[in-house]
């Protein structure tokens, strides 16, 4: 929603993949730093599985899912922000 959009302040672009772009954001209500993945609405069928897996995963070694928002023509997925780069950067 527009209210959700206004409550998230973009801080930096973290990366880009086949189904969207990931940003570091600040939740202005809670002051929490989060990761935000923005995906085109037309890719919803591809990212439904990702959303479902994130929502079910509850483990200390897995990035925690926040929520999914429909904003204009995009799907936004908020997640726990983990500093230090991508997994590929760490193991590659």
């Amino acid at each position: 929603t527009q209210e959700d959009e206004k409550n998230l302040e973009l801080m930096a672009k973290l990366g880009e993949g086949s189904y969207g772009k990931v940003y570091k954001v600040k939740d202005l209500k809670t002051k929490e730093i989060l990761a935000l993945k923005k995906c085109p609405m037309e890719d919803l069928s591809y990212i439904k599985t990702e959303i479902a897996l994130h929502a079910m995963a509850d483990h200390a070694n897995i990035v925690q899912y926040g929520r999914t928002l429909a904003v204009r023509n995009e799907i936004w997925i908020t997640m726990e922000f983990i500093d230090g780069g991508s997994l590929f950067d760490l193991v590659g």
Side-chain angles (χ1 to χ4, degrees):
T1 65
Q2 286 185 340
E3 184 177 329
D4 290 313
E5 183 179 5
K6 290 178 187 175
N7 289 326
L8 295 174
E9 176 186 325
L10 255 62
M11 299 175 70
K13 183 177 177 182
L14 299 174
E16 191 169 337
S18 16
Y19 295 115
K21 299 174 184 172
V22 180
Y23 299 88
K24 180 179 178 179
V25 299
K26 182 177 184 179
D27 184 317
L28 298 175
K29 280 186 176 180
T30 66
K31 310 298 183 214
E32 185 177 12
I33 303 298
L34 302 167
L36 172 68
K37 183 173 186 177
K38 293 184 176 186
C39 308
M41 189 69 77
E42 57 265 15
D43 290 341
L44 180 60
S45 61
Y46 298 107
I47 60 171
K48 280 183 181 178
T49 303
E50 178 182 346
I51 294 168
L53 290 172
H54 271 296
M56 292 186 313
D58 186 18
H59 190 278
N61 296 331
I62 299 175
V63 172
Q64 295 300 296
Y65 166 80
R67 58 192 170 142
T68 302
L69 308 165
V71 179
R72 290 183 307 278
N73 60 344
E74 296 178 317
I75 296 294
W76 289 12
I77 305 168
T78 65
M79 297 168 271
E80 172 185 23
F81 174 73
I82 306 293
D83 205 3
S86 71
L87 179 59
F88 182 78
D89 293 338
L90 295 172
V91 297

